[in-house]
């Protein structure tokens, strides 16, 4: 994990990070008029990297005014656009590949690039931080939460330990694996989705033979 703050050449940082995206790009930004940044998003979408964009619609209608950015092109390429109306969606954040987060004062506008005093903080390799922003993105857009359950990796690790115990002759009773999996579920208070996943795994674990 690495965090760095930028106060100049912010557009270049955004262009670089968008260009590195290989899995997904989620952007929530109040105002968006920068054609270079839009072109970078469109290129990623056309390259097969899903892009989801959330904008605000204010009384000036800056984002959707005639002659503005061609958001329809992004949608035609398969990208997703959500426009928040009735309240000011004032966020400025971008999540790359579910693990890198860019956020700060910087709106994706020409004025921000050319004349404003702005800041941007880039945190890479922090999936937990990214999950928080992805959940907020899901709330804003009304879309399913794209952030994976944080408990799942811990559960899978514990299941691996259970398998190791079986292999080391530590468990001999026929139903022991099933009971141990149940303890894993109860012990860490995981979500229903993870509990269901573990329930599916119990059968395969219970059939492991002691070597």
């Amino acid at each position: 994990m690495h965090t760095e703050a930028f106060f100049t050449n912010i557009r270049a940082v955004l262009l670089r990070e968008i260009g590195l995206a290989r899995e997904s790009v989620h952007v929530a930004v109040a105002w968006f008029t920068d054609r270079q940044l839009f072109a970078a998003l469109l290129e990623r979408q056309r390259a097969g990297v899903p892009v989801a964009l959330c904008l605000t619609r204010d009384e000036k209608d800056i984002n959707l005014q005639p002659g503005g950015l061609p958001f329809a092109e992004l949608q035609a390429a398969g990208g997703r656009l959500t426009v928040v109306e009735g309240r000011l969606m004032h966020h400025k954040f971008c999540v790359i590949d579910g693990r890198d987060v860019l956020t700060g004062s910087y709106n994706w506008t020409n004025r921000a690039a050319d004349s404003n005093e702005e800041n941007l903080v880039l945190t890479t390799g922090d999936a937990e931080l990214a999950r928080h922003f992805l959940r907020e993105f899901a709330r804003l857009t009304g879309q399913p939460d794209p952030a994976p359950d944080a408990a799942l990796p811990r559960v899978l690790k514990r299941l691996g330990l259970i398998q190791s115990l079986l292999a080391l002759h530590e468990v001999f009773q026929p139903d022991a694996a099933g009971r141990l999996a149940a303890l894993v579920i109860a012990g860490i208070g995981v979500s229903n989705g993870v509990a269901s996943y573990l329930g599916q795994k119990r059968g395969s674990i219970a059939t492991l033979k002691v070597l």
Side-chain angles (χ1 to χ4, degrees), residues 2 5 8 10 16 73 109 123 131 152 187 211:
H2 177 73
T8 60
I10 293 175
R16 181 191 70 201
E73 291 185 19
T109 64
T123 301
R131 271 190 288 269
L152 183 55
L211 300 177

Side-chain angles (χ1 to χ4, degrees), residues 54-160:
C54 180
L55 306 173
T56 197
R57 186 169 216 162
D58 61 4
E59 63 276 5
K60 295 182 180 179
D61 210 13
I62 293 173
N63 291 318
L64 303 174
Q65 61 186 329
L69 297 179
F71 296 113
E73 291 185 19
L74 180 66
Q75 292 175 292
R80 197 171 77 225
L81 173 67
T82 301
V83 179
V84 177
E85 302 188 55
R87 66 191 190 281
L88 181 60
M89 195 287 295
H90 206 241
H91 286 301
K92 297 102 176 171
F93 69 79
C94 175
V95 181
I96 304 287
D97 294 344
R99 61 177 179 272
D100 302 335
V101 176
L102 301 109
T103 188
S105 69
Y106 192 88
N107 273 301
W108 291 22
T109 64
N110 297 314
R111 179 174 294 181
D114 298 335
S115 59
N116 290 0
E117 299 292 342
E118 304 279 3
N119 71 80
L120 181 77
V121 175
L122 167 62
T123 301
T124 58
D126 191 340
E128 182 64 27
L129 176 65
R131 271 190 288 269
H132 289 293
F133 280 94
L134 288 174
R135 288 187 175 124
E136 174 63 6
F137 190 91
R139 185 190 70 81
L140 291 169
T141 61
Q143 299 293 325
D145 186 351
D149 196 310
L152 183 55
R154 297 197 303 273
V155 174
L156 294 179
K157 183 176 180 180
R158 293 193 181 193
L159 282 175

